[in-house]
Amino acid sequence: MEERNNLYPVFLKVRNLEVLIVGGGNVAEEKLTFLLKSSPDANVTIVSPMYREGTIALANKFGIKMITKKYHRRFLKKKHVVIATTDIPAVNVQVYKDCRKRSKLVNVADNPPYCDFYMGGIVTKGNVKVAISTNGKSPTTSKRLRQFFEEVIPENIDDLVKNLNEYRKTIKGDFEEKVETLNEFTKGLIGKKEVEHDQD
């Protein structure tokens, strides 16, 4: 049987959630950067006995709470999402086990068996956001696909989204009728692109 990606994609409102990053090294800084690039209003706390200068600068810029201590399970209190990034595997596994006992979503960086979720590639253009996952198999492929979609999705896509939202408010009828009208109205988006490519 062919292997497939069974992950269920969701878009979290991380400003309404509490995120904990365990660790203060390169990987922690990478995960924090990635998170804040996508969601600059995220509520994040970092716990580590030491921090890189870049991490400190980033935390100060975005108002991230920093705890300069070794990890302890008490830091999981009131947290919804946890990302373990330390360079000590035993600590990361302990974070995972502590999270499982407390029903917290957890990601142990670069260790798929200890992840409830992956942080994939993201393309953002205004209100449009596309997330890419390779099921934890190839972050490089995810990165290349992100670059591809950044080029392919037009810069003015946000104008289209806003205009369609206003148009949707004016449509009469029940839910199914509105969906049918919008489907009919937007099906040309794909067709026009195909025509343009044929003429190249």
Side-chain angles (χ1 to χ4, degrees):
M1 187 174 160
E2 187 180 334
E3 189 177 0
R4 68 190 294 267
N5 189 330
N6 287 330
L7 298 172
Y8 187 78
V10 296
F11 291 90
L12 299 174
K13 295 181 178 179
V14 283
R15 72 174 180 273
N16 297 338
L17 303 174
E18 292 292 336
V19 180
L20 176 70
I21 297 178
V22 181
N26 283 322
V27 180
E29 187 172 328
E30 177 187 292
K31 298 296 184 186
L32 181 62
T33 301
F34 180 86
L35 182 61
L36 293 174
K37 180 181 179 188
S38 181
S39 305
D41 56 355
N43 287 312
V44 185
T45 300
I46 314 179
V47 59
S48 175
M50 56 72 63
Y51 296 97
R52 291 169 47 88
E53 286 185 19
T55 307
I56 294 169
L58 200 57
N60 289 336
K61 180 179 178 183
F62 286 89
I64 304 302
K65 183 179 179 184
M66 302 176 75
I67 301 171
T68 309
K69 291 183 179 177
K70 288 184 178 181
Y71 167 76
H72 189 277
R73 62 180 178 270
R74 71 176 176 272
F75 296 125
L76 297 177
K77 190 175 181 182
K78 296 186 178 178
K79 299 297 183 277
H80 302 100
V81 179
V82 181
I83 303 166
T85 69
T86 79
D87 56 4
I88 306 169
V91 172
N92 292 337
V93 171
Q94 189 58 53
V95 172
Y96 173 80
K97 289 178 178 177
D98 292 341
C99 287
R100 298 306 319 131
K101 286 179 184 174
R102 293 159 179 79
S103 300
K104 313 281 185 185
L105 287 175
V106 61
N107 171 289
V108 175
D110 300 320
N111 201 336
Y114 293 96
C115 293
D116 293 323
F117 65 93
Y118 301 131
M119 300 171 80
I122 293 177
V123 180
T124 304
K125 299 217 175 171
N127 285 291
V128 175
K129 184 166 283 193
V130 179
I132 303 156
S133 165
T134 58
N135 211 14
K137 304 283 187 194
S138 176
T140 303
T141 301
S142 181
K143 177 183 175 183
R144 293 297 174 222
L145 285 170
R146 175 179 56 78
Q147 292 169 338
F148 169 76
F149 283 112
E150 281 176 345
E151 290 181 20
V152 169
I153 298 173
E155 292 299 325
N156 66 344
I157 191 73
D158 200 43
D159 294 335
L160 174 67
V161 169
K162 289 175 182 173
N163 290 338
L164 280 173
N165 185 46
E166 290 304 313
Y167 175 60
R168 184 181 67 171
K169 294 173 186 175
T170 68
I171 302 171
K172 306 295 183 197
D174 62 20
F175 179 76
E176 286 184 17
E177 290 172 313
K178 289 182 179 184
V179 169
E180 191 175 323
T181 302
L182 285 169
N183 281 339
E184 190 65 29
F185 188 76
T186 58
K187 72 180 182 183
L189 291 174
I190 297 172
K192 287 178 184 174
K193 279 287 175 190
E194 288 173 351
V195 171
E196 286 173 12
H197 287 306
D198 289 342
Q199 292 173 346
D200 287 346

